Amino acid sequence: MSVFFLQALSPSDGASKSVTDSGVSAADSSAPAYADGTLEAQVRDLLGDKASQKSPGVKKVPPEADTKSSSEALTPEAEPSRSPMKAPVVAVPPCVQKATGRTTPALALDEGTYRGTDAYLVVLPHTSDSSRVQAYVVASSCVDTAPESSGQLLLTRSYNRP
């Protein structure tokens, strides 16, 4: 009898598709939206995470690691595999790097949107002032369409380092 009950409650194919479709769009909408007014705070957040990882003696343990043994949670090799965007060497797509006009290794990289366009936020050291950083927002479309060309630079700003 429970089999009939469960079959009656299972959604039809059309209903299950709309549920999965809405799940995908909800995941897409979780990407950060970059705007001139909020970009500085987003850069600080990105660099704040990086600074706490690089500080000697300070180890930021992610919440999911709390359930693991302390020796596993504190191994240096464990962190980069869980957070590849926060690894010491940030891999920036070549067309995005070209759009910045610089070859300096990036301090941080994040994906989001800017005015409805999929984009990367690239944070580089300032060219002349070590107490500042430069943030570049570059359209991500070049990664799939023309990876060897230069991407479209959407916004650039300079901020004090956190």
Side-chain angles (χ1 to χ4, degrees):
M1 181 137 170
S2 62
V3 172
F4 294 115
F5 181 71
L6 291 176
Q7 286 178 345
L9 292 178
S10 68
S12 67
D13 288 339
S16 65
K17 285 182 182 176
S18 67
V19 168
T20 55
D21 290 346
S22 66
V24 169
S25 64
D28 291 343
S29 66
S30 67
Y34 308 123
D36 199 20
T38 59
L39 191 60
E40 183 173 9
Q42 291 166 314
V43 167
R44 286 186 184 282
D45 287 345
L46 280 174
L47 293 178
D49 289 344
K50 298 274 297 167
S52 67
Q53 287 180 3
K54 287 184 178 180
S55 299
V58 176
K59 178 70 176 159
K60 187 173 186 178
V61 179
E64 66 269 10
D66 291 342
T67 58
K68 297 180 182 178
S69 70
S70 60
S71 63
E72 183 181 348
L74 296 177
T75 10
E77 298 82 30
E79 183 64 26
S81 64
R82 285 195 299 263
S83 302
M85 293 297 222
K86 296 178 182 177
V89 175
V90 180
V92 179
C95 64
V96 174
Q97 184 80 35
K98 285 180 185 177
T100 67
R102 311 223 353 239
T103 57
T104 308
L107 299 173
L109 176 70
D110 193 27
E111 288 185 72
T113 60
Y114 177 73
R115 296 184 179 179
T117 302
D118 291 338
Y120 283 100
L121 169 59
V122 183
V123 182
L124 298 171
H126 194 276
T127 55
S128 61
D129 186 352
S130 63
S131 68
R132 296 178 61 81
V133 294
Q134 288 183 289
Y136 298 87
V137 178
V138 179
S140 64
S141 60
C142 68
V143 174
D144 294 327
T145 59
E148 297 305 317
S149 69
S150 179
Q152 179 185 5
L153 183 61
L154 303 173
L155 178 69
T156 182
R157 296 286 183 264
S158 294
Y159 303 111
N160 290 326
R161 281 187 189 240

